[in-house]
Amino acid sequence: MAFSADELRVLRRALAIALHPMPLPDEEVQDCLRLAGAVDEAVGEAGRLRAFLLADLVRYRNALPGSVSGYLELLQDALAGGYAPCPDDLAALRALRHKPVAAALLERCQALAERSARARLAGRAMPPTAPAPRSRLLALPGGRAADAEPERPKTPAAPSRPVPPSGRPAPKPSEVFPPRRPVPPPQQRAAG
């Protein structure tokens, strides 16, 4: 996550206020609330990206053996992001163990799966695979009280067409496939 220079200024000021509480002007409170909103949006986007990458990993695994290189690359990226391999991943890697990269990944995934199983047997919870949602920032120490909740944008009216999980309405067939325009027949040349 990267912050702009202005966001860093707000963050630095908020941290200073957290260490040494004092009354804040409304403008600084609004800056902090906007920064908190931007961080919430970034966390949500990271969660959506992670869900997309894991779904992509499943698609590549289901397309094996034709998608070996893509699957191995996606699995490495997912493991680097904290993904715990599932039994399907282990089975796919066992089938591909003749490839050096797959063999190395199989060893790594087996160690991760064993550690995960031991943690479950010991009753310890494994770290979550997706970031937990952060609660809303309602008030800052020394700042405005939480009862003056900022105005939320009004929710738009429900669309007339069903909305898929992506949040965007599905296009109409006429939008995807525009009507064909008649093509004039070629003119015949007169002989003579």
Side-chain angles (χ1 to χ4, degrees), residues 43-117:
V43 168
E45 185 63 31
R48 285 189 292 277
L49 177 63
R50 181 171 175 73
F52 172 78
L53 291 176
L54 293 179
D56 214 19
L57 179 67
V58 170
R59 282 191 293 274
Y60 272 78
R61 185 177 58 228
N62 291 339
L64 285 174
S67 62
V68 172
S69 62
Y71 172 70
L72 296 177
E73 185 178 324
L74 283 173
L75 183 59
Q76 287 174 339
D77 291 345
L79 292 173
Y83 172 71
C86 66
D88 290 339
D89 292 316
L90 295 172
L93 289 172
R94 283 186 194 106
L96 300 171
R97 79 177 98 182
H98 61 279
K99 296 191 173 281
V101 175
L105 273 175
L106 177 60
E107 287 180 27
R108 183 175 172 195
C109 287
Q110 284 175 332
L112 287 172
E114 183 178 326
R115 186 170 14 139
S116 174

Side-chain angles (χ1 to χ4, degrees), residues 148-169:
E149 185 88 16
E151 288 187 33
R152 294 183 182 181
K154 295 181 181 179
T155 57
S160 59
R161 293 182 277 169
V163 179
S166 68
R168 294 184 302 217

Side-chain angles (χ1 to χ4, degrees), residues 12-28:
R12 188 177 300 121
R13 181 80 175 130
L15 290 173
I17 291 166
L19 292 173
H20 306 288
M22 65 175 124
L24 286 177
D26 283 347
E27 182 181 310
E28 287 189 25

